[in-house]
């Protein structure tokens, strides 16, 4: 076994957590290495955010062409896959370039911790050791596999669903969370007959019912069958199709499709070879590593970030923690503050939420003032033929400080950033209402929702 040089910061995993941590660590003057067992960029770049959004954007363009200019609708799913792969390659190349130019050593192979300051890197039968002063664990997560529906054959995880060579004639999605909705709607737009089986009362349970409703309506308009309160029980598959048996209200039903896509959540990569047990680092029942406000684990010089820690499994949460962990190692007093992590569903219409919702405030008996405005009469939304949805701003009723916001509608994913900034800066609804927005733009709807809240506060104080 050969020994590599020793580093100050060793980062394990190169997703949006790991590569951002390595960059920041190196930029702050620490000798840094990053280890990746698969592809630089992690899940987000290769089988998550980037390829899914590329295919979703293509499906949107295809759908629009079909709807408004059918004679020109020449885009095929194969073209969309090529487009997607091009983008993935560019992004992965970008990660490599950034790490290289920042002076980070990139090591290929699987990392295993053998003691609190040593890891073994295994690649193609070869083993090397590396020693470190600090480590940042960023090993991410993988799709949860259901015992009754193991991946393989006609049962897909999100990873395979992103790489089908053709849009299937039919698809059953098990799980009504955001990944299932996004991929299901993407395929529906390419002409696939999609059925969604969800165990709960409605799809997108993480969002307020009124917010998720326009999305559910559009999913139905796209020809998607949504079966709620459904428990998938068993499957029978052959070389061409799969039949899923499920129960609903005590009755047995079945649905047959070309593929079944299982999207019931993700499992942290904290088991297996990583060796947490060897260094005495415990994980929760769900496999998550506990951390403090600086992303420090129970072993003070070892940090953990991203999908292996508590909180939403999202790329921007991983990158945010990455910066905090690297800065903490460099001796800065950086700490995480999760009050403004945006959650986005890239459905049509898009869904986005940041901070507290009205429903959460009610459940916690927190008094709030809520301002709301629709896209329906916004000039830009009309021009874009995207008038569905609304913006909701949630604020403290006395100070007007923004504590949450939700958007369902066109470009919700982009618009939510202004509201995240408002929360981060401690801005008030008056600040949002008095910000001069260019006309005609979608941002005016945020301004109007804030004006609505300000009006309510003014009337109450009279
Ligand atoms: P990962 O991106 O999972 O990266 C971890 C890396 O560590 C992997 O490359 C893995 O190979 C490597 N690794 C693991 N163990 C070892 C080891 N022992 N040695 C060496 N390397 C190791 N999030 C969003 O914010 N927006 C979205 O739109 C979005 N869309 C998504 C769509 C899909 C279909 C999926 C599946 C996920 C999506 N996500 C999205 C979630 C997002 O991809 C994850 O939250 C994010 O990738 C987590 O980043 P991470 O750095 O924690 O880990």
């Amino acid at each position: 076994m050969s020994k590599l040089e020793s580093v100050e910061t060793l980062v394990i995993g190169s997703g949006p957590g790991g590569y951002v941590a390595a960059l920041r660590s190196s930029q702050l003057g620490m000798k840094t290495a990053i280890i990746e067992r698969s592809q630089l960029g992690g899940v987000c770049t290769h089988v998550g955010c980037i390829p899914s959004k590329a295919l979703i954007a293509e499906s949107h363009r295809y759908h629009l062409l079909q709807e408004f200019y059918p004679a020109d609708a020449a885009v095929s799913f194969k073209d969309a896959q090529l487009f997607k792969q091009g983008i993935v390659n560019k992004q992965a190349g970008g990660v490599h370039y950034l790490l290289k130019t920042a002076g980070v050593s990139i090591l290929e192979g699987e990392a295993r911790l053998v003691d609190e300051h040593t890891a073994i890197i295994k690649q193609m039968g070869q083993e090397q050791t590396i020693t470190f002063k600090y480590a940042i664990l960023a090993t991410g997560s993988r799709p949860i596999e259901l015992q009754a529906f193991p991946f393989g054959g006609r049962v897909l995880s999100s990873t395979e669903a992103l790489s089908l060579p053709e849009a299937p004639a039919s698809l059953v999605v098990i799980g009504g969370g955001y990944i299932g909705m996004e991929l299901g709607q993407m395929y529906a737009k390419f002409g696939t007959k999609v059925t969604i089986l969800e165990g709960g009362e409605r799809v997108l349970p993480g969002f307020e019912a009124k917010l998720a409703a326009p999305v559910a309506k559009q999913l139905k308009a796209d020809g998607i069958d949504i079966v709620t309160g459904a428990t998938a029980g068993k499957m029978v598959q052959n070389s061409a199709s799969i039949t899923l048996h499920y129960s609903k209200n005590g009755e047995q039903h079945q649905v047959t499709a070309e593929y079944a896509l299982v999207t019931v959540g993700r499992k942290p990569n904290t088991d297996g070879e990583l060796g947490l047990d060897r260094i005495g680092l415990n994980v929760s029942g769900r496999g998550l590593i506990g951390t403090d406000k600086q992303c420090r684990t129970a072993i003070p010089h070892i940090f953990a970030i991203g999908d292996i820690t508590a909180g939403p499994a999202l790329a921007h949460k991983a990158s945010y923690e990455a910066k905090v962990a690297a800065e903490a190692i460099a001796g800065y007093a950086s700490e995480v503050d999760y009050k403004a992590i945006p959650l986005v569903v890239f459905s049509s219409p898009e869904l986005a939420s940041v901070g507290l919702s009205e429903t959460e405030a009610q459940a916690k008996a927190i008094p709030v003032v809520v301002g709301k405005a629709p896209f329906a009469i916004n000039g830009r939304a009309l021009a874009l033929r995207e008038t569905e949805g609304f913006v909701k701003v949630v604020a403290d009723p006395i100070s007007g400080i923004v504590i949450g916001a939700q958007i369902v509608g066109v470009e919700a994913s982009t618009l939510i950033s202004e509201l995240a900034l408002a929360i981060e800066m401690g801005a008030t609804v008056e600040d949002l209402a008095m910000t001069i927005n260019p006309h005609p733009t979608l941002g005016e709807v945020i301004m109007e929702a804030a004006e609505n809240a300000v009006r309510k506060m003014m009337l109450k104080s009279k």
Side-chain angles (χ1 to χ4, degrees), residues 12-18 35-39 41-44 47-49 52-53 109-111 138-141 158 162 178-179 182 266 269 274 305-307 313-316 318 346:
I12 304 180
S14 72
I35 310 176
E36 173 55 58
R37 67 178 176 192
S38 179
Q39 290 171 291
V43 166
C44 175
V47 290
C49 330
S52 61
K53 268 79 255 183
E110 173 139 33
T139 50
S141 64
S158 58
L162 287 167
Y178 87 94
I179 293 179
E182 288 186 355
R266 300 189 55 88
N269 293 324
L274 185 57
I305 57 172
D307 283 9
L314 293 169
H316 43 277
F346 290 81

Side-chain angles (χ1 to χ4, degrees), residues 20 30 82 86 106 171 178 217 229 374 384 410 421 432 452-453:
V20 172
M30 292 175 288
L82 285 174
I106 302 171
L171 177 73
Y178 87 94
K217 188 174 129 196
L384 293 169
V410 58
L421 179 67
L432 290 175
N452 181 239

Side-chain angles (χ1 to χ4, degrees), residues 198 200-201 226-231 246-253:
E198 160 62 33
E201 283 172 16
I226 301 175
V227 189
T228 53
T231 311
Y246 66 92
S247 61
K248 181 178 161 79
N249 298 331
E251 286 176 21
Q252 293 302 312
H253 303 267

Side-chain angles (χ1 to χ4, degrees), residues 171-202:
L171 177 73
V172 186
V173 180
I174 302 180
Y178 87 94
I179 293 179
M181 291 307 98
E182 288 186 355
L183 298 183
Q185 195 176 33
M186 179 272 286
Y187 274 116
K189 286 187 177 182
F190 276 114
T192 301
K193 173 67 205 162
V194 176
T195 306
I196 293 168
L197 300 183
E198 160 62 33
E201 283 172 16
R202 60 181 179 87

